[in-house]
Amino acid sequence: FGQNVQLKTTLPGGGVRSKTFGADMGMYFCISADGNQECFYGMDVKGELMKKLQNYGSIHGNNSYFYKLIHKEKGIMLLQDPVETQKYVIKTDNQPKGQMIDNRSNEKLTEKLSEYLKNCEKLSEDLKNSNTDLRNEENLISIVKEYAACKR
């Protein structure tokens, strides 16, 4: 899990061809294991300071990673960091970056998320005026559903 995924294809003669795809390409992939399908989306996010600092010295300054899809509705997704599972990302299809839900205070997260979702005014205002626990996955799924139903 991280910034790249490698696709290996077995060739007719028995050889193997590999191709690497980066999360910064904005692509997604799905895998099936034990009858369960999991999908991972590559993207850059707002608010992930630690990963940005870790990559500061990298040649390309690439801060895009693959995140596991938890819930998807019309125009919006909830994803989870597959390594640091307490971290989530909300990504709308009208913005190039997702919004990280991480270890910051609930007050700061609420401020950032309400700004990120501002094109759904009712939801944005509801977030500002409530004390919704943004570290709770069910609450985040509810936010995704409300955004999808929003008349923008």
Side-chain angles (χ1 to χ4, degrees):
F1 298 110
Q3 294 183 308
N4 297 301
V5 63
Q6 190 173 63
L7 175 65
K8 293 183 179 184
T9 307
T10 304
L11 301 173
V16 175
R17 179 185 308 153
S18 303
K19 183 161 182 168
T20 301
F21 299 93
D24 60 344
M25 297 170 77
M27 63 163 295
Y28 74 95
F29 66 94
C30 298
I31 57 174
S32 294
D34 301 325
N36 295 321
Q37 184 178 28
E38 294 182 333
C39 295
F40 297 83
Y41 286 75
M43 70 185 71
D44 194 1
V45 296
K46 297 178 180 184
E48 180 55 290
L49 180 61
M50 288 310 295
K51 283 189 180 177
K52 288 178 182 173
L53 290 175
Q54 289 169 353
N55 291 324
Y56 182 72
S58 79
I59 295 170
H60 305 291
N62 178 5
N63 289 307
S64 298
Y65 287 85
F66 285 100
Y67 297 94
K68 179 181 169 183
L69 180 65
I70 301 297
H71 189 84
K72 183 176 182 178
E73 298 241 351
K74 179 180 64 175
I76 187 168
M77 297 183 288
L78 174 63
L79 304 108
Q80 183 179 47
D81 186 310
V83 176
E84 298 178 80
T85 57
Q86 77 280 8
K87 294 182 180 181
Y88 292 89
V89 174
I90 288 187
K91 169 74 173 78
T92 63
D93 61 3
N94 65 341
Q95 296 193 47
K97 295 182 178 184
Q99 178 61 55
M100 176 63 71
I101 307 296
D102 56 14
N103 299 328
R104 290 173 284 174
S105 71
N106 205 62
E107 184 178 306
K108 292 251 187 240
L109 292 174
T110 298
E111 177 186 326
K112 296 296 184 185
L113 188 58
S114 64
E115 174 65 23
Y116 184 78
L117 300 175
K118 69 183 176 189
N119 69 333
C120 179
E121 290 180 35
K122 182 180 180 335
L123 176 58
S124 181
E125 286 302 315
D126 285 352
L127 284 170
K128 287 179 192 174
N129 297 322
S130 72
N131 195 18
T132 304
D133 180 3
L134 296 179
R135 289 186 192 85
N136 179 291
E137 187 174 299
E138 291 304 314
N139 289 345
L140 294 173
I141 290 171
S142 293
I143 290 169
V144 166
K145 288 178 179 182
E146 192 172 334
Y147 183 90
C150 183
K151 304 228 186 291
R152 296 179 286 284

